[in-house]
Amino acid sequence: MSLTNPPSSGSLSTRTKTVGPSLKRNLQATVDETVDSRKTTGYTSKVRVRDRYHVVGFISSGTYGRVYKAVGKNGKKGEFAIKKFKPDKEGESIQYTGLSQSAIREMSLCTELSHANVVQLEEIILEDKCIFMVFEYTEHDLLQIIHHHTQPQRHAIQAHMVRSILFQLLNGLLYLHTNWVLHRDLKPANILVTSSGAIRIGDLGLARLFYKPLNSLFSGDKVVVTIWYRAPELLLGSRHYTPAVDMWALGCIFAELLSLRPIFKGEEAKMDSKKTVPFQRNQMMKIVEILGLPRKETWPGLVSMPEYTQLQSLVMHRQPNHYHRGANLEGWYQSCLKNGGYSATSSVGTPGADGFDLLSRMLEYDPTKRITAQEALEHPYFANGGPISANCFEGIESKYPHRRVTQEDNDIRTGSLPGTKRSGLPDDSLMRASKRLKE
């Protein structure tokens, strides 16, 4: 099966002009034919998780709580990922004060969203003082796939696979942006891949509606997007931002699929005790090394950025040679193609010049000039390379390992505090981050 190539994606924009500011369940009519027919999801009361699902094992944990793999029972078929939220608590004693803003946003958005390239919520179960979000189960994520291509030695992801992944990601992102949703945490670990090669944008914990916010987006969430994928306007302290922050992150993911390592791999400066957001000097330096210095002539809004003086100070005090060179993205890209062994002659076996043009437009400093998801879907990179498969694994002989599921800790009991680590198991998300920093 092939995904619909532009210009059919252009027809999407004409159908979405009538969409109002609030999400509605009939939004399925606004997306293309790749959207599955999904049943209405919602809250379920007086249902116990263990009556409906058999927990197979533990997948990962983080600040929100824990994720388990489960299979349906009592007539419910399929495999599922159950996200068990950790409620806010006061002090050392367990005094429940409610759910985090992140959990509430994710539940409300996932209940309404329905698209073939966005993770599918099956149901929400309220049991005792715990909330469980039940999602479809996916065997892989992009971080796992990228890591697989570095072992035992680096071998490039095939060009047609990269193209399929990116096209599906843009399809899902266009759906979110059309319906006034910013994801705000796009990174390989949050991009899910089914065993049939379908891409799902996952983890909407930082997502939010951006239609007529009462306050600036910054005042609600001072820090968004994992540091390596954070757009320059965010690094420079912008109080208002747009879907362009997601497109920058997607450009970073595109680059990572080609090079098998983050393109801007900086070190994050942490907030102080007063929760002051620091200027991320090291991350900004990593971007400047490849894209050159941002200039007010090409980015008129640069001088109004809250951290503009910090950017000037960075240049004045350090002044390494690479600050005074022009943009080096094309050199980085050509080196990446050479190291990856992509074809220099065939337009099918390589991302080629079209790939570079798309990448450079995603990594545009000025967010007002950065390419949109709609424009990207109509880019020659997708239009000129033949049909795009809805299965990113199509034609791939090697098999990717399945997601790690730990058998020792599959207790999903509501009596235990969600998120508490047991059996000496490490926090998987922290372990993966530290592993990558050592590469």
Side-chain angles (χ1 to χ4, degrees), residues 232-266:
E233 62 267 33
L234 296 175
L235 295 173
L236 292 172
S238 177
R239 266 46 179 174
H240 297 278
Y241 48 86
T242 68
V245 300
D246 285 341
M247 291 304 299
W248 176 277
L250 200 52
C252 295
I253 293 171
F254 184 19
E256 193 165 339
L257 288 170
L258 297 175
S259 67
L260 305 179
R261 56 170 63 91
I263 182 172
F264 307 124
K265 194 175 179 180

Side-chain angles (χ1 to χ4, degrees), residues 25-249:
R25 284 187 174 83
N26 63 5
L27 287 176
Q28 260 180 272
T30 68
V31 297
D32 60 23
E33 295 177 358
T34 63
V35 178
D36 297 326
S37 177
R38 308 279 177 84
K39 67 178 183 178
T40 301
T41 59
Y43 299 97
T44 304
S45 60
K46 297 183 179 179
V47 172
R48 298 184 67 83
V49 175
R50 286 168 292 178
D51 292 341
R52 191 167 290 191
Y53 302 96
H54 169 67
V55 176
V56 176
F58 166 79
I59 299 174
S60 64
S61 65
T63 55
Y64 54 81
R66 300 170 73 79
V67 179
Y68 298 86
K69 180 180 179 181
V71 294
K73 65 180 186 179
N74 295 331
K76 192 171 186 67
K77 298 180 179 179
E79 295 182 323
F80 304 91
I82 301 180
K83 191 172 189 176
K84 179 183 181 183
F85 281 105
K86 177 170 61 179
D88 291 341
K89 63 188 183 79
E90 294 181 348
E92 293 302 317
S93 61
I94 303 173
Q95 297 179 352
Y96 295 97
T97 60
L99 283 171
S100 67
Q101 177 177 264
S102 172
I104 293 170
R105 279 183 184 158
E106 185 171 16
M107 286 189 292
S108 61
L109 287 173
C110 287
T111 300
E112 300 288 345
L113 295 169
S114 180
H115 189 275
N117 298 123
V118 177
V119 68
Q120 175 65 23
L121 175 68
E122 286 290 323
E123 63 178 331
I124 299 171
I125 296 177
L126 315 177
E127 184 178 343
D128 296 336
K129 292 185 175 70
C130 290
I131 291 187
F132 302 88
M133 291 184 74
V134 183
F135 293 95
E136 62 174 332
Y137 181 74
T138 56
E139 289 287 4
H140 315 281
D141 62 50
L142 280 195
L143 182 58
Q144 175 195 28
I145 287 174
I146 290 169
H147 179 70
H148 175 74
H149 278 265
T150 65
Q151 304 295 324
Q153 57 187 12
R154 291 185 180 271
H155 54 293
I157 301 174
Q158 292 189 27
H160 74 273
M161 180 174 171
V162 173
R163 193 159 161 262
S164 173
I165 291 171
L166 196 61
F167 188 88
Q168 293 186 64
L169 271 174
L170 285 164
N171 244 355
L173 201 55
L174 174 60
Y175 171 77
L176 294 179
H177 291 172
T178 299
N179 294 299
W180 306 100
V181 177
L182 294 176
H183 188 280
R184 304 198 304 177
D185 197 19
L186 289 173
K187 57 184 177 181
N190 288 345
I191 308 302
L192 309 175
V193 188
T194 69
S195 57
S196 60
I199 302 298
R200 307 275 201 260
I201 296 175
D203 199 343
L204 276 73
L206 273 180
R208 66 158 294 168
L209 293 171
F210 63 95
Y211 181 81
K212 291 186 177 179
L214 297 176
N215 298 305
S216 74
L217 296 176
F218 178 84
S219 63
D221 302 278
K222 293 185 178 182
V223 177
V224 294
V225 188
T226 302
I227 188 70
W228 296 341
Y229 309 91
R230 198 174 298 168
E233 62 267 33
L234 296 175
L235 295 173
L236 292 172
S238 177
R239 266 46 179 174
H240 297 278
Y241 48 86
T242 68
V245 300
D246 285 341
M247 291 304 299
W248 176 277

Side-chain angles (χ1 to χ4, degrees), residues 217-388:
L217 296 176
F218 178 84
S219 63
D221 302 278
K222 293 185 178 182
V223 177
V224 294
V225 188
T226 302
I227 188 70
W228 296 341
Y229 309 91
R230 198 174 298 168
E233 62 267 33
L234 296 175
L235 295 173
L236 292 172
S238 177
R239 266 46 179 174
H240 297 278
Y241 48 86
T242 68
V245 300
D246 285 341
M247 291 304 299
W248 176 277
L250 200 52
C252 295
I253 293 171
F254 184 19
E256 193 165 339
L257 288 170
L258 297 175
S259 67
L260 305 179
R261 56 170 63 91
I263 182 172
F264 307 124
K265 194 175 179 180
E267 296 178 9
E268 183 171 16
K270 302 298 182 181
M271 286 195 227
D272 59 21
S273 58
K274 297 181 180 179
K275 300 296 182 182
T276 303
V277 180
F279 175 57
Q280 299 293 345
R281 290 175 174 270
N282 188 263
Q283 183 64 25
M284 198 71 216
M285 286 168 54
K286 297 297 182 183
I287 295 173
V288 169
E289 286 174 8
I290 293 178
L291 299 186
L293 277 168
R295 297 167 52 242
K296 58 185 178 182
E297 292 79 11
T298 55
W299 183 4
L302 178 64
V303 294
S304 63
M305 290 291 167
E307 301 287 9
Y308 179 62
T309 54
Q310 289 277 15
L311 180 65
Q312 290 179 306
S313 172
L314 180 72
V315 178
M316 292 173 59
H317 288 93
R318 298 186 69 97
Q319 295 185 338
N321 291 333
H322 59 250
Y323 282 167
H324 302 286
R325 295 202 304 260
N328 190 39
L329 181 61
E330 186 168 10
W332 178 92
Y333 182 80
Q334 294 302 330
S335 175
C336 179
L337 295 190
K338 181 179 179 181
N339 293 337
Y342 291 107
S343 171
T345 56
S346 171
S347 60
V348 178
T350 180
D354 288 338
F356 171 70
D357 184 71
L358 177 58
L359 178 63
S360 62
R361 295 186 65 189
M362 286 179 166
L363 299 180
E364 162 66 49
Y365 267 127
D366 187 346
T368 65
K369 298 176 183 176
R370 200 171 299 150
I371 195 169
T372 65
Q374 176 71 68
E375 292 167 343
L377 284 167
E378 298 169 352
H379 191 275
Y381 174 67
F382 299 114
N384 295 341
I388 302 171

